[in-house]
Amino acid sequence: MLQPPHQSLQVAAVPAQRVPAPVRDRQGQAGPWHTEAVCRRDEAGLFFAPSKEPTASRLAREEAAKRVCARCPVMIACREHALLQPEPYGVWGGLTAAERRVVLARRRRREMELKAAPGAGDHRIAG
């Protein structure tokens, strides 16, 4: 009997060596953020595209994944993880890979603008 493809994806979704700093769980204990992720209880295949997925199917699947993310208590930690790695595939923290690329480009542009601003690094008091 073949196992559903989502079971292998669930293990690969958050590799242990790439997990960011711990967050507090419902009992106040520090632990990896992904232990509280709602997607751990849902179908992991919802968050990653099968090969050659038709566009309409991909969009519907991504919207369903985003609905799961919207109710997740660690959505922001998940999103930041995906942005810092950066994760090249899947829906993480309510954002698709394409949406994450836009966020990263905006962050880079903002950093460059701040560096280029007159007096950006000069906080000394004249006197």
Side-chain angles (χ1 to χ4, degrees), residues 83 87-89 96-106 108:
L83 292 167
E87 291 290 350
Y89 306 106
T96 64
E99 291 166 336
R100 290 191 304 276
R101 286 191 295 272
V102 170
V103 170
L104 288 171
R106 285 180 182 161
R108 285 190 296 270

Side-chain angles (χ1 to χ4, degrees), residues 46-67:
L46 188 62
F47 298 89
F48 295 93
S51 63
K52 299 179 183 178
E53 180 179 34
T55 301
S57 298
R58 177 182 53 82
L59 294 173
R61 180 187 48 74
E62 288 173 346
E63 284 305 313
K66 288 178 178 187
R67 285 192 298 275

Side-chain angles (χ1 to χ4, degrees), residues 100-122:
R100 290 191 304 276
R101 286 191 295 272
V102 170
V103 170
L104 288 171
R106 285 180 182 161
R107 284 184 180 182
R108 285 190 296 270
R109 191 169 42 249
R110 191 175 319 125
E111 287 173 9
M112 295 302 291
E113 289 170 356
L114 288 173
K115 288 179 183 176
D122 193 7

Side-chain angles (χ1 to χ4, degrees), residues 13-15 33 48 69 78-79 81-82 87 89-95 100:
V14 184
W33 63 267
F48 295 93
C69 292
C78 177
R79 179 179 296 170
H81 163 81
E87 291 290 350
Y89 306 106
V91 175
W92 291 77
L95 297 178
R100 290 191 304 276

